[in-house]
């Protein structure tokens, strides 16, 4: 399979920092051209396409340019760091992309608003201090709007103890947020990884959201929830690699999960791939090792009814993500 490579285009000459092509080359899944369960099509995520390109090197400028609805391509050209937690709200029609030289955001946590939608986060590294570990300390927190693409992003995590008091997470997408693709990204070194869907059982009004595609991601040393805890929505989990885990996939209430050709490394031998609450639906095909739901019934839903896609073998996925997942200083390589 040929790999798609994104490099800084020659036409981008109005700033000093080189950065990846900010088009949607490599976009797949629910954030792309997709249909809902009734066959109704939606437009693909475009982010800040055709908008002004702005370069940011400090927190104040980052806040300013990520707000509002005006289309913008916001380029991080200097690492931005804070000793304390800083929440940055984002609006709509934005692409936040890291330059090749510097793209690290430390203790910067992004939050959606009621006006958020159509946002791309690409080629970024998120760091946060180990003492920022409360329940809602989440570096990416998306609760409303639709069409989000998180691509080639590294969530680097921190040291943790499995028996410690850490409650922080790396990523939350839930409530009314919908149509998201998480691709070619790395999630590492954390007690808790990802939560998808409304965070509590017994809230049937959220049934059917979110629609999430997780493709070509690398989960390393996440104690639980990598790829994640999933509730209520439709979750396509393909060609991911999880290693050094205690529990990988948690099947929550009314989750419809279609898993294919994922590779589960160290931790699989302990029987921790599936944490099955018996209240969702789960089907896997082609993963290593082979998976079957312990309690939950198989799902009849197939993501091929929502969009077209390609899938590679589980062994290919493991090799690909260990080489190319996460942020990059040179080029971005996309899995299919």
């Amino acid at each position: 399979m040929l790999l798609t490579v994104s490099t800084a285009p020659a036409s981008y000459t109005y700033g000093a920092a080189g950065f990846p092509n900010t088009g949607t080359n490599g976009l797949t899944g629910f954030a792309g051209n997709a249909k809902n369960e009734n066959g109704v099509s939606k437009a693909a995520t475009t982010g800040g396409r055709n908008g002004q390109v702005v370069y940011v090197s400090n927190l104040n400028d980052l806040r300013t340019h990520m707000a509002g609805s005006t289309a913008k391509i916001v380029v991080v050209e200097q690492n931005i760091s804070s000793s304390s937690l800083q929440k940055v709200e984002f609006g709509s029609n934005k692409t936040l992309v890291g330059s090749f030289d510097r793209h690290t955001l430390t203790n910067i946590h992004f939050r959606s608003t009621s006006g958020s939608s159509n946002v791309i986060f690409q080629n970024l590294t998120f760091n946060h201090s180990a003492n920022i570990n409360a329940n809602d300390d989440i570096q990416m927190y998306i609760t409303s709007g639709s069409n989000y693409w998180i691509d080639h992003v590294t969530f680097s995590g921190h040291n943790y103890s499995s028996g410690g008091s850490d409650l922080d997470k790396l990523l939350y997408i839930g409530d009314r947020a919908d149509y998201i693709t998480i691709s070619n990204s790395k999630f590492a070194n954390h007690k808790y990884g990802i939560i998808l869907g409304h965070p509590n059982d017994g809230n049937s009004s959220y049934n059917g959201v979110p629609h999430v595609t997780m493709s070509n991601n690398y989960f390393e040393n996440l104690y639980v929830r990598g790829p994640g805890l999933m509730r209520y929505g439709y979750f396509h989990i393909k060609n991911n690699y999880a290693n050094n885990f205690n529990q990988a996939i948690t099947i929550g209430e009314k989750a419809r999960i279609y898993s294919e050709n994922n590779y589960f490394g160290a931790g699989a031998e302990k029987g921790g791939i599936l944490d099955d609450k018996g209240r969702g639906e789960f089907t896997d095909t082609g993963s290593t090792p082979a998976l079957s739901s312990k309690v939950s019934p198989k799902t009849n839903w197939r993501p091929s009814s929502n969009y077209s896609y390609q899938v590679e073998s589980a062994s290919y996925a493991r090799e690909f993500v260990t080489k190319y997942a996460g942020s990059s200083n040179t080029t971005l390589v996309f899995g299919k």
Side-chain angles (χ1 to χ4, degrees), residues 14-320:
Y14 20 74
F19 61 96
N21 188 322
T22 55
T24 53
N25 192 19
L27 175 60
T28 186
F30 277 119
N33 294 308
K35 298 177 181 179
N36 66 14
E37 286 61 61
N38 296 317
V40 178
S41 297
K42 70 163 191 67
T45 305
T46 57
R49 187 173 64 188
N50 298 326
Q52 178 188 8
V53 178
V54 296
Y55 291 80
V56 299
S57 57
N58 60 71
L59 181 58
N60 286 338
D61 287 348
L62 181 65
R63 291 189 197 277
T64 297
H65 291 294
M66 287 302 291
S69 59
T70 302
K72 291 182 182 180
I73 297 169
V74 182
V75 181
V76 177
E77 64 173 349
Q78 297 289 336
N79 296 334
I80 302 174
S81 179
S82 172
S83 59
S84 60
L85 187 154
Q86 300 291 328
K87 295 182 180 180
V88 174
E89 294 184 344
F90 59 88
S92 59
N93 308 315
K94 302 291 187 292
T95 295
L96 180 66
V97 58
S99 64
F100 288 124
D101 291 335
R102 298 176 180 87
H103 45 246
T104 299
L105 303 174
T106 301
N107 294 332
I108 312 281
H109 290 208
F110 285 88
R111 294 291 187 272
S112 64
T113 69
S114 59
S116 299
S117 65
N118 190 37
V119 180
I120 297 172
F121 296 93
Q122 194 169 57
N123 202 42
L124 302 163
T125 294
F126 287 107
N127 294 335
H128 73 284
S129 301
N131 63 347
I132 300 177
N133 59 2
N135 187 47
D136 62 346
D137 288 339
I138 302 173
Q139 290 194 271
M140 184 76 69
Y141 192 90
I142 303 176
T143 58
S144 62
S146 63
N147 276 10
Y148 296 100
W149 186 24
I150 299 169
D151 179 71
H152 283 95
V153 174
T154 295
F155 293 81
S156 58
H158 56 71
N159 292 333
Y160 69 89
S161 168
S162 61
S165 59
D166 296 351
L167 295 173
D168 51 324
K169 324 299 189 297
L170 295 176
L171 172 67
Y172 170 70
I173 298 171
D175 290 13
R176 300 300 176 189
D178 210 359
Y179 293 102
I180 299 102
T181 294
I182 305 165
S183 59
N184 308 300
S185 293
K186 183 175 181 179
F187 302 83
N189 306 319
H190 224 243
K191 182 177 178 181
Y192 294 100
I194 300 173
I195 299 180
L196 302 171
H198 187 75
N200 299 310
D201 291 338
N203 290 272
S204 59
S205 65
Y206 292 93
N207 189 22
V209 293
H211 296 75
V212 178
T213 302
M214 302 184 76
S215 176
N216 301 291
N217 300 295
Y218 183 16
F219 305 92
E220 176 64 43
N221 189 31
L222 299 184
Y223 188 68
V224 296
R225 301 176 187 175
L229 164 59
M230 305 169 205
R231 289 188 179 95
Y232 299 112
Y234 295 83
F235 305 98
H236 184 200
I237 314 300
K238 77 175 183 77
N239 283 152
N240 301 282
Y241 174 43
N243 192 49
N244 292 314
F245 60 88
N246 185 61
Q247 292 176 346
I249 297 174
T250 297
I251 307 170
E253 184 172 357
K254 292 183 171 62
R256 299 103 167 150
I257 303 171
Y258 189 71
S259 164
E260 54 185 330
N261 294 37
N262 301 291
Y263 198 106
F264 298 91
E269 75 283 356
K270 298 182 293 186
I273 297 175
L274 293 180
D275 175 22
D276 188 357
K277 305 299 184 184
R279 305 185 69 182
E281 301 171 4
F282 179 85
T283 295
D284 177 82
T285 181
S287 290
T288 300
L291 307 182
S292 60
S293 180
K294 299 175 184 176
V295 183
S296 293
K298 292 184 177 181
T299 183
N300 293 320
W301 168 69
R302 296 293 183 270
S304 57
S305 65
N306 300 89
Y307 53 82
S308 299
Y309 66 92
Q310 295 178 251
V311 64
E312 301 294 338
S313 69
S315 58
Y316 176 95
R318 178 181 62 171
E319 180 180 359
F320 177 87

